[in-house]
Amino acid sequence: MPQVSVKNKLVESAEDVFRRQGFNGASVQDITSAAGVPKGSFYNHFESKQALAVEIVRRYARGANFAALGGDGPALERLRGHFAAMLDRTRDTGVEFGCLLGTFAGESSSAGDQVRTAVREILDDWTENVARTVREGQEAGEITSARPARTLAAFLIDSFEGATLRAKAIGDQSLVAEQLEIALGALRP
């Protein structure tokens, strides 16, 4: 049976600790205890908690499913499919902990420049992926052209992230889908 590396244990455990406690609430000791490794081993793999957080944010972004955005069919349906997949991902990891990206975005001002930069880059990439589908919908006359595609994409993402934050606070994920329907409806011409 292959051994799991200490670095992978730290990353896996830290993601869970950050979800539960947030960046500021999690200590290196919390992370190493959850991973079952000595605290000193942390610094063999990461220069700081911030560096570990950046790796986790980037890994989280690599796991995002953009397939629905590039599929066939009406743009609004592809957008609905994309955000439904994102909601499923949040549900799978625990809606009570919200979206990991939203957790880090909420703490980015105090988590440091590296984390803030990583979150911004990932949000920019996500926005561009969504904007591409919005543009296609605009060209087909399915989505309003009253605002630029990138602005509408940011609106959809912000609506989703805001709804997942509210769901985290009240423990009810059903409103995320409802908010998404309202946001998608606002895109109609």
Side-chain angles (χ1 to χ4, degrees):
M1 178 188 293
Q3 277 190 317
V4 177
S5 77
V6 170
K7 182 176 183 178
N8 286 342
K9 283 183 184 180
L10 288 166
V11 170
E12 292 292 327
S13 298
E15 182 171 332
D16 186 54
V17 171
F18 285 142
R19 278 186 191 286
R20 294 178 186 282
Q21 297 175 222
F23 178 84
N24 293 314
S27 68
V28 170
Q29 183 64 56
D30 293 333
I31 293 165
T32 57
S33 291
V37 301
K39 186 175 179 181
S41 64
F42 178 90
Y43 295 101
N44 291 332
H45 300 284
F46 300 99
E47 66 183 39
S48 65
K49 184 173 78 165
Q50 193 176 113
L52 172 59
V54 168
E55 182 159 331
I56 289 169
V57 167
R58 289 191 174 136
R59 184 179 86 144
Y60 181 78
R62 286 190 302 271
N65 183 351
F66 295 111
L69 292 174
D72 293 328
L76 284 172
E77 289 307 311
R78 290 184 282 145
L79 290 165
R80 183 176 285 108
H82 168 69
F83 284 102
M86 296 299 286
L87 177 56
D88 287 344
R89 183 180 191 198
T90 301
R91 193 177 294 128
D92 290 345
T93 57
V95 80
E96 68 273 20
F97 305 120
C99 171
L100 184 66
L101 187 57
T103 297
F104 279 112
E107 293 189 83
S108 66
S109 63
S110 58
D113 290 339
Q114 290 176 345
V115 175
R116 182 177 25 256
T117 297
V119 168
R120 184 177 54 243
E121 288 170 355
I122 290 159
L123 284 172
D124 286 347
D125 184 56
W126 188 10
T127 302
E128 191 48 47
N129 276 287
V130 172
R132 204 173 0 265
T133 303
V134 170
R135 270 188 221 97
E136 291 170 10
Q138 288 174 323
E139 291 166 4
E142 178 186 353
I143 294 175
T144 182
S145 294
R147 301 217 186 282
R150 193 162 170 80
T151 301
L152 294 175
F155 166 72
L156 287 174
I157 291 167
D158 293 350
S159 295
F160 175 80
E161 287 295 333
T164 58
L165 183 60
R166 180 182 289 270
K168 178 179 176 177
I170 66 173
D172 181 7
Q173 64 192 14
S174 65
L175 67 92
V176 179
E178 183 179 352
Q179 293 293 320
L180 179 58
E181 285 305 313
I182 293 169
L184 289 170
L187 268 60
R188 294 189 187 282

